Amino acid sequence: MRNLNFGYGISRPRAIDLDNNDLRKSNDIIAEMPELQACIGCGSCTASCTAGNLTDFNFRKLHTAVRRGEYKGAYEELNKCMLCGKCRLVCPRGINTRALIMLIKRKLGDF
Amino acid sequence: MTFDAPFTIPFTVGCFFLLVAIATKWIIWLVRLPRTDKRLIRRNILSLETLKGVWEVIRESLLHVRIFRVNPMLGFMHASLAFGWFLLILVGWIETIAYLGMEWVPLQGHVFFKYFMPVNGITEHISLFEQLMDALLLVVLIGVAMAWFKRLRSKFMGMRRTTKHVLFDRIALSALWFIFPTRLIAESMNAALYGGHGFLTGSIGGWMANTIPHETLVTLYDPSWWVYSSLLCLFFVALPFSRYMHIFTEIPLIFLRRWKLRPTAQRKSYDNFEVEACSRCGICIDPCQLQEDLGINDTQSVYFLRDRRYNMLSLKIANNCLMCGRCETKCPVGINLNTLRLNSRAKRRNIPHEGRYKYLQGLDRSSGNGKVGFFAGCMTSLTPGVQRSMKEIFDAAGDDVWYADSEGGVCCGRPLMLSGETDAARKMMEYNSDLFRKHGITTLVTSCPICLRVFKENYDLEGIEIVHHTEYIDRLIASGRLHVEGGNESYTYHDPCELGRGLGIYDEPRRVLAAVGRIIEPQHSRRDALCCGSSLANTVIDDGQQLRIAQRMTRELEATGCDVVVTACPLCNKAVNRASSRPAEDVAEVVAKKITK
Ligand code: SF4
Ligand code: SF4
Ligand code: SF4
Ligand code: SF4
Ligand code: SF4
């Protein structure tokens, strides 16, 4: 039974503690890019992602986590992105995802 | 003959300051040039190019031929100011010689000649000089009047918008406006008091002598020369820090360009010459769709160069540009606006960290086998119709094709470059180049103009011919390897920025379309074509703004009454599709439907 492969897995349960997370950077990001709040988490960005096609990089998961103050590893993970812009073209909410990527990197990175 | 008068001191000081300031700037910029640029100068300085440069300086810095071509009224204004003033100086200088023989005369003696040599009309040919000088003064004054008028009503000059200026510009501009009217007054007073002069200053002088009391004229005479001299001083002192620095920057720029120096994706000292050669004429404002469609008024090339020059360039202004190149084609100075915008984005630390893109190692998802390689690119993977059509076309032509990225590939690197991450982009370029070489292709076809551009300009793919899919289809049809049927459909073709203005490919897609139907040109086409607004180069405008640009463009394309709007760029395709009621098609899709046999 354990060896059955359905082609997808189940995420391990985890808790996001919004009270203890430091939301300053997240608030900064949302303040500069309020349209991010319109995200419906549809995952189109991840589905179309060039980098996601080649690695386990998951853009929707990443920007959702960052919004909730989970920054660990986000910068390094975002460095997998090639800025190709496919995610922007498919996003049903018209979110400027390329600018978002650059913004998150600017806020979390060292430049 | 002495040429000392206290009122000449401001002028002399101003002149000296100007000379030192310009020399300092030039020397600093030249010394800081990278070694490769210096080598280019050494190699080309003794060539025909230098002579051609001299001619170009006369044509552009004095006559402003290119401005004439873009906007005749504005050209006349610039030429009358620049060339008129230049002739005033030159003829004035000859006049002094005619008067005094080859005697040495200090600079202020030439400039204020009328003051020092008030008695005129000695011989015939000298009075001819008087008339000539007056005529030139009139020409310059007309130029000044036009400049005044342009401030008031830019429409009159064939421009919808004129430039907003910084403080030093205002000082220099105000001085410039009043220099020549003051000269007119001073010389006319001279005529009123001492007689002589040509048709202009002579007659105004005569009128003055009749209406203004003699004592008033005498008291006002010296002050009027003081004002003239001080205005010149003010202009000269403000010049190196104002837009008028372009007068003296365009000259070395013309030569450096002739010696094959160019701006690159990285900032370098050469950029100073291009940045300060901008006269802020404002010609680049009107073509910009960010201005016309979105009312954004602070990011056009003229403002971008201004901000960059005074070190107040914000990230937002640097990023808020489609790099469509519409302004660049119009710029009379020929500044490489796109490249300068690009290298303004280069981050201080764009060195990618060690592990970045490690996952590219050993990756190969290509399929097929053949000497011809097809690279769809990220964007084409979102327009599967184009990919399918290309496959049909290749099959019909009997080509064996290696598909580089049909199962998912790596981006070409241009999007990263456009965001200033040149070093990171290098990694993509190395990866893709290795991949192409490994599979031994000799021709690389791509259906995305963005990829095409970076392959051609930044990759080192010697031995591999790089073509756009429209070029390739054009060749297939011409060589008889692909048979298509003609028809009655009418097509309106949209020139993608990167393909048209970027790479100069206008005819091939049109030839292909002409083989299967009729072409109706839209209002703006070829070098003037509009941008779809979806350009990857702009990360500032939002979705709604992109859509507005696309709508205006699509409206224009559909206004031709064509059956189908055709593009040759997957990104344009998406943009038109969003804004239009019926689907746009790619050149490949149009052709695939018309294959016979
Ligand atoms: S821009 Fe980055 S996140 Fe978006 S699709 Fe491309 S690789 Fe993925
Ligand atoms: S495609 Fe847009 S709306 Fe969907 S998850 Fe990504 S960002 Fe959110
Ligand atoms: S960039 Fe060119 S067109 Fe624009 S203001 Fe400067 S000189 Fe004129
Ligand atoms: S390149 Fe295009 S978008 Fe950028 S300033 Fe010029 S006209 Fe405007
Ligand atoms: S998608 Fe096409 S029209 Fe739009 S910017 Fe790119 S090349 Fe220009």
Side-chain angles (χ1 to χ4, degrees):
Chain A
M1 200 61 190
R2 207 181 298 153
N3 294 333
L4 253 184
N5 181 4
F6 291 105
Y8 53 85
I10 296 172
S11 296
R12 250 176 291 137
R14 61 202 179 102
I16 294 175
D17 187 349
L18 283 173
D19 290 330
N20 284 332
N21 278 357
D22 177 2
L23 291 176
R24 260 174 305 174
K25 285 185 175 171
S26 156
N27 289 340
D28 269 6
I29 290 167
I30 290 176
E32 271 196 48
M33 205 165 211
E35 66 196 63
L36 183 55
Q37 295 168 96
C39 170
I40 50 171
C42 69
S44 300
C45 46
T46 295
S48 67
C49 179
T50 309
N53 191 7
L54 305 171
T55 65
D56 58 1
F57 172 60
N58 183 335
F59 184 45
R60 179 194 61 162
K61 191 165 152 189
L62 185 136
H63 67 69
T64 310
V66 166
R67 251 188 306 159
R68 296 183 179 156
E70 307 257 304
Y71 314 120
K72 200 161 166 282
Y75 177 78
E76 290 71 22
E77 196 62 13
L78 258 187
N79 267 334
K80 290 180 180 163
C81 157
M82 309 187 201
L83 270 184
C84 69
K86 276 161 83 176
C87 45
R88 184 175 188 186
L89 277 179
V90 297
C91 175
R93 305 309 307 253
I95 294 170
N96 186 348
T97 51
R98 286 181 79 234
L100 174 65
I101 293 160
M102 286 156 66
L103 176 65
I104 297 179
K105 284 211 289 187
R106 207 164 64 236
K107 292 284 177 205
L108 301 186
D110 45 2
F111 62 93
Chain B
M1 184 93 240
T2 62
F3 293 98
D4 308 322
F7 83 84
T8 59
I9 293 172
F11 163 79
T12 316
V13 170
C15 256
F16 184 72
F17 179 85
L18 179 63
L19 225 72
V20 172
I22 291 176
T24 315
K25 281 195 168 195
W26 282 9
I27 290 169
I28 290 176
W29 294 343
L30 285 173
V31 168
R32 287 193 184 154
L33 282 178
R35 201 166 297 147
T36 43
D37 280 355
K38 287 185 182 152
R39 206 176 306 134
L40 277 173
I41 296 180
R42 272 198 302 273
R43 193 180 312 148
N44 293 319
I45 197 164
L46 290 176
S47 70
L48 201 60
E49 289 300 314
T50 310
L51 281 180
K52 286 191 200 153
V54 174
W55 172 232
E56 195 182 334
V57 166
I58 297 172
R59 242 182 35 219
E60 293 311 326
S61 298
L62 291 175
L63 298 175
H64 294 87
V65 175
R66 275 196 289 256
I67 302 193
F68 259 108
R69 235 174 268 151
V70 182
N71 181 335
M73 282 292 239
L74 206 62
F76 181 76
M77 185 189 98
H78 279 258
S80 58
L81 278 171
F83 196 48
W85 196 356
F86 173 75
L87 283 183
L88 263 182
I89 297 169
L90 187 73
V91 176
W93 188 65
I94 300 172
E95 188 188 23
T96 348
I97 293 177
Y99 249 93
L100 304 170
M102 291 310 274
E103 190 183 320
W104 183 80
V105 177
L107 193 60
Q108 75 269 25
H110 291 287
V111 174
F112 305 108
F113 186 64
K114 290 281 160 39
Y115 181 87
F116 295 111
M117 293 292 274
V119 189
N120 284 303
I122 306 172
T123 58
E124 272 294 295
H125 70 275
I126 283 183
S127 86
L128 198 74
F129 271 117
E130 300 282 328
Q131 302 292 5
L132 190 57
M133 288 294 278
D134 266 17
L136 289 173
L137 185 57
L138 186 64
V139 169
V140 176
L141 281 168
I142 291 174
V144 172
M146 289 174 86
W148 273 359
F149 209 75
K150 174 172 164 255
R151 280 283 114 188
L152 289 174
R153 296 193 64 101
S154 47
K155 268 221 179 68
F156 166 76
M157 300 296 294
M159 297 169 77
R160 273 168 295 171
R161 289 213 162 51
T162 186
T163 325
K164 292 170 261 167
H165 291 305
V166 297
L167 181 68
F168 276 113
D169 288 338
R170 287 182 197 285
I171 296 176
L173 185 69
S174 315
L176 186 64
W177 279 0
F178 292 106
I179 285 175
F180 293 97
T182 318
R183 175 172 174 155
L184 181 72
I185 292 170
E187 292 196 351
S188 301
M189 281 197 187
N190 179 286
L193 290 173
Y194 303 98
H197 286 264
F199 67 94
L200 184 66
T201 46
S203 33
I204 298 181
W207 172 80
M208 280 178 169
N210 288 331
T211 43
I212 304 173
H214 189 72
E215 301 81 75
T216 321
L217 275 179
V218 173
T219 20
L220 287 180
Y221 182 59
D222 261 35
S224 71
W225 288 97
W226 267 101
V227 175
Y228 178 39
S229 168
S230 310
L231 283 173
L232 282 173
C233 173
L234 195 62
F235 181 66
F236 291 159
V237 171
L239 186 144
F241 313 104
S242 75
R243 64 187 184 129
Y244 297 99
M245 185 62 199
H246 83 91
I247 302 170
F248 296 99
T249 314
E250 198 180 350
I251 299 169
L253 175 66
I254 284 173
F255 287 106
L256 293 177
R257 217 184 260 151
R258 290 262 164 205
W259 298 332
K260 311 223 156 30
L261 273 68
R262 296 284 181 275
T264 56
Q266 297 297 331
R267 285 180 183 228
K268 56 180 186 176
S269 178
Y270 171 78
D271 298 353
N272 289 313
F273 288 99
E274 295 229 337
V275 170
E276 299 211 1
C278 166
S279 62
R280 273 175 245 160
C281 63
I283 286 179
C284 52
I285 302 176
D286 281 350
C288 183
Q289 289 168 263
L290 296 179
Q291 194 280 124
E292 187 165 12
D293 297 343
L294 305 180
I296 297 174
N297 268 324
D298 58 359
T299 196
Q300 284 68 32
S301 292
V302 54
Y303 302 124
F304 154 71
L305 289 179
R306 179 196 63 193
D307 290 359
R308 176 156 165 186
R309 176 175 171 188
Y310 296 110
N311 275 326
M312 47 186 206
L313 183 66
S314 65
L315 197 61
K316 186 170 168 210
I317 299 287
N319 283 336
N320 197 2
C321 170
L322 300 160
M323 289 200 197
C324 64
R326 277 170 62 78
C327 53
E328 194 175 282
T329 57
K330 291 276 164 28
C331 173
V333 187
I335 301 173
N336 287 293
L337 298 169
N338 275 351
T339 315
L340 290 179
R341 183 83 72 157
L342 187 86
N343 69 27
S344 297
R345 294 176 180 179
K347 306 251 165 41
R348 263 165 300 155
R349 298 193 52 190
N350 84 71
I351 319 278
H353 84 70
E354 283 300 296
R356 194 162 182 193
Y357 304 125
K358 242 202 181 113
Y359 63 84
L360 296 181
Q361 256 170 32
L363 196 75
D364 186 348
R365 294 205 181 168
S366 62
S367 60
N369 238 320
K371 288 281 161 217
V372 176
F374 179 67
F375 187 90
C378 306
M379 287 303 156
T380 311
S381 69
L382 289 180
T383 51
V386 179
Q387 264 176 311
R388 222 177 304 120
S389 304
M390 279 315 291
K391 195 157 186 318
E392 284 169 30
I393 291 169
F394 285 132
D395 289 346
D399 271 333
D400 291 328
V401 177
W402 169 72
Y403 293 91
D405 57 355
S406 52
E407 304 300 324
V410 171
C411 177
C412 64
R414 185 152 169 90
L416 274 167
M417 267 189 74
L418 291 175
S419 307
E421 298 194 57
T422 7
D423 292 333
R426 278 272 143 236
K427 298 215 166 187
M428 326 256 104
M429 297 182 192
E430 277 159 22
Y431 168 81
N432 281 318
S433 305
D434 289 348
L435 193 69
F436 299 151
R437 296 222 177 276
K438 187 174 112 192
H439 288 273
I441 54 169
T442 53
T443 308
L444 177 61
V445 184
T446 174
S447 50
C448 175
I450 306 164
C451 307
L452 184 71
R453 182 120 186 235
V454 73
F455 288 155
K456 282 200 175 181
E457 291 180 356
N458 304 95
Y459 277 58
D460 180 18
L461 290 175
E462 227 192 288
I464 302 178
E465 197 197 12
I466 305 152
V467 291
H468 189 235
H469 70 314
T470 58
E471 292 178 281
Y472 193 76
I473 297 171
D474 179 43
R475 280 185 212 173
L476 288 181
I477 295 176
S479 63
R481 289 175 52 213
L482 185 70
H483 299 280
V484 290
E485 54 178 0
N488 257 333
E489 276 93 345
S490 56
Y491 303 108
T492 290
Y493 173 67
H494 164 70
D495 287 286
C497 311
E498 299 267 32
L499 193 66
R501 279 182 293 270
L503 293 164
I505 298 174
Y506 299 107
D507 295 326
E508 288 82 353
R510 286 185 168 77
R511 268 207 299 275
V512 171
L513 289 178
V516 295
R518 265 178 320 123
I519 300 177
I520 317 177
E521 292 289 343
Q523 190 193 341
H524 293 91
S525 73
R526 295 184 179 252
R527 263 167 75 91
D528 281 334
L530 297 174
C531 175
C532 68
S534 289
S535 167
L536 288 172
N538 191 317
T539 45
V540 176
I541 58 172
D542 64 30
D543 193 58
Q545 290 172 310
Q546 282 192 331
L547 186 59
R548 252 148 67 204
I549 298 180
Q551 280 164 340
R552 141 97 193 288
M553 178 199 73
T554 307
R555 229 179 293 131
E556 196 185 290
L557 293 172
E558 290 181 339
T560 60
C562 62
D563 297 326
V564 188
V565 170
V566 186
T567 69
C569 166
L571 202 50
C572 303
N573 196 314
K574 287 259 168 223
V576 180
N577 271 333
R578 282 181 75 191
S580 155
S581 44
R582 44 201 173 136
E585 286 180 22
D586 188 275
V587 172
E589 292 172 301
V590 172
V591 171
K593 279 191 244 167
K594 299 280 190 170
I595 298 176
T596 51
K597 286 201 299 198

